[in-house]
Amino acid sequence: MSTTIARRAADYDGHRVTVSADDGTPISVRTFGADTAPLTVVFAHGHCLRTESWTFLRDQLLRLWGADTRMVFYDHRGHGESGAAHPSTYTIDQLGHDLDAVLRAIAPTGPVILIGHSMGAMVVLAYARLFPEAIGTRIVGVGLIAGAANGITEVGLGRFLNRYAVNSLQVAVLRAPRVMQASKRLSRRIFEPIMREATFGTRKINPRMLAVATAMLNETPLLTMSSFLASLITFDETATLHRLGAIPALVLAGTADIVVPFAHSVVLASQLSGSELVRVEGAGHSVILERAEEVALSIVALVDRVFTTMRGEGPEYAAAG
């Protein structure tokens, strides 16, 4: 009886594993599906989020795939159940190395598709630069959801970010962490209506979804939030896009995203020869929560494209230099 209960719990909540990053930071990982599945799909979450941000999408994919496709979800350092580290390591490049550590430990062999949402999409692009030999060999497809290759401070809410503002916030967090945490809670209550519109676009949102998103954001330490901002505002991987070659790519975003506006996805798709651009009308930045079913179907289509390409041309069909 206990074995059956444990199996059901694992099916619902995943098999939990802790992976050690190269600097020893513990990375919390959950896996779903059979270890013998022919393909592994790895999901990287956004800034100030955690594994739970994929919950609705994961449930849709489990319903569609069962155990036939292995899924891996993990918390970035400083987020969720993963360990904290020195703020100097809170960079997109470091997250690219952490992703590599997760792959080495959890999916050391076999084809992999990388799916990233927001900052997670940036991590996927950084990984392509840091580990170019894996693209087209181990990495056979990518999904970039509400992502950008550069210029997040040029349009959308990112226009309010600049180096001076970010540095001032970081200094304040380090000098008065308790005061800043209390200020964060107060600000959330005051600005929740704005947050609702910014995160979820133009449709009426299920209150449960808003509660989940708000809780995830509130649980992210201020030091984590502020430390990653410097890396985000200087992020530029436009020179990396060619490394993705012609491997199948999904570029998806909502038309009402004011955090990373849809124009960024148009630019991304135009520079990826193997991409499909999916426009989700009226969806905001949290499209993976708000429109989980539509996003899941697009990911299933990406996986189908990968299998078709692999059967036709072999595992090294699109290695990029």
Side-chain angles (χ1 to χ4, degrees):
M1 177 67 72
S2 60
T3 302
T4 301
I5 293 173
R7 186 182 300 114
R8 287 176 179 171
D11 289 343
Y12 174 76
D13 203 33
H15 296 274
R16 292 173 178 265
V17 181
T18 299
V19 171
S20 181
D22 294 340
D23 65 355
T25 302
I27 304 297
S28 176
V29 182
R30 299 187 203 180
T31 67
F32 296 79
D35 292 345
T36 56
L39 180 72
T40 299
V41 185
V42 179
F43 296 81
H45 66 74
H47 181 231
C48 290
L49 298 175
R50 56 193 298 174
T51 294
E52 280 79 2
S53 65
W54 298 105
T55 298
F56 298 150
L57 179 62
R58 184 197 72 208
D59 290 347
Q60 293 286 340
L61 291 172
L62 283 172
R63 181 177 60 81
L64 294 166
W65 282 335
D68 294 338
T69 299
R70 189 171 183 232
M71 294 189 288
V72 175
F73 302 84
Y74 70 100
D75 289 328
H76 296 306
R77 60 177 56 214
H79 293 75
E81 297 180 358
S82 288
H86 192 276
S88 64
T89 70
Y90 287 173
T91 67
I92 305 298
D93 271 20
Q94 180 60 59
L95 296 186
H97 286 288
D98 291 350
L99 171 56
D100 181 62
V102 170
L103 291 176
R104 295 197 313 265
I106 304 299
T109 61
V112 173
I113 292 178
L114 301 178
I115 307 287
H117 169 245
S118 190
M119 185 176 76
M122 298 176 181
V123 173
V124 171
L125 294 178
Y127 175 89
R129 170 174 50 81
L130 294 167
F131 303 96
E133 70 283 353
I135 307 303
T137 52
R138 289 294 320 286
I139 308 305
V140 295
V142 295
L144 307 173
I145 301 173
N150 73 332
I152 67 166
T153 62
E154 295 174 5
V155 291
L157 290 183
R159 287 176 299 171
F160 297 101
L161 291 175
N162 58 62
R163 193 180 298 274
Y164 175 78
V166 169
N167 288 343
S168 297
L169 176 62
Q170 290 170 340
V171 169
V173 169
L174 290 171
R175 288 182 176 174
R178 291 183 181 179
V179 173
M180 290 298 294
Q181 191 65 45
S183 175
K184 179 185 176 186
R185 289 194 295 268
L186 176 61
S187 297
R188 178 51 52 89
R189 288 197 295 271
I190 294 172
F191 292 110
E192 189 178 60
I194 298 173
M195 174 263 193
R196 182 185 295 115
E197 292 299 321
T199 306
F200 291 110
T202 57
R203 288 192 172 192
K204 184 178 180 181
I205 301 306
N206 183 320
R208 177 169 165 255
M209 287 189 188
L210 182 60
V212 169
T214 303
M216 287 189 294
L217 285 162
N218 276 337
E219 290 172 7
T220 303
L222 267 170
L223 187 59
T224 296
M225 182 273 287
S226 61
S227 297
F228 273 108
L229 286 177
S231 187
L232 286 169
I233 66 175
T234 59
F235 180 80
D236 189 343
E237 292 288 355
T238 50
T240 299
L241 296 177
H242 78 280
R243 296 189 182 277
L244 293 174
I247 66 172
L250 166 67
V251 180
L252 181 149
T255 60
D257 188 341
I258 64 172
V259 179
V260 181
F262 185 74
H264 282 293
S265 290
V266 174
V267 172
L268 274 175
S270 71
Q271 298 182 63
L272 298 173
S273 58
S275 70
E276 176 190 7
L277 177 62
V278 175
R279 173 187 174 103
V280 184
E281 291 292 338
H285 193 59
S286 286
V287 62
I288 61 172
L289 281 166
E290 181 187 352
R291 308 283 275 276
E293 184 174 3
E294 294 170 60
V295 177
L297 291 174
S298 292
I299 292 174
V300 169
L302 170 65
V303 170
D304 289 344
R305 280 202 292 141
V306 166
F307 276 129
T308 298
T309 307
M310 289 174 63
R311 283 194 297 266
E313 299 182 44
E316 297 186 10
Y317 56 90

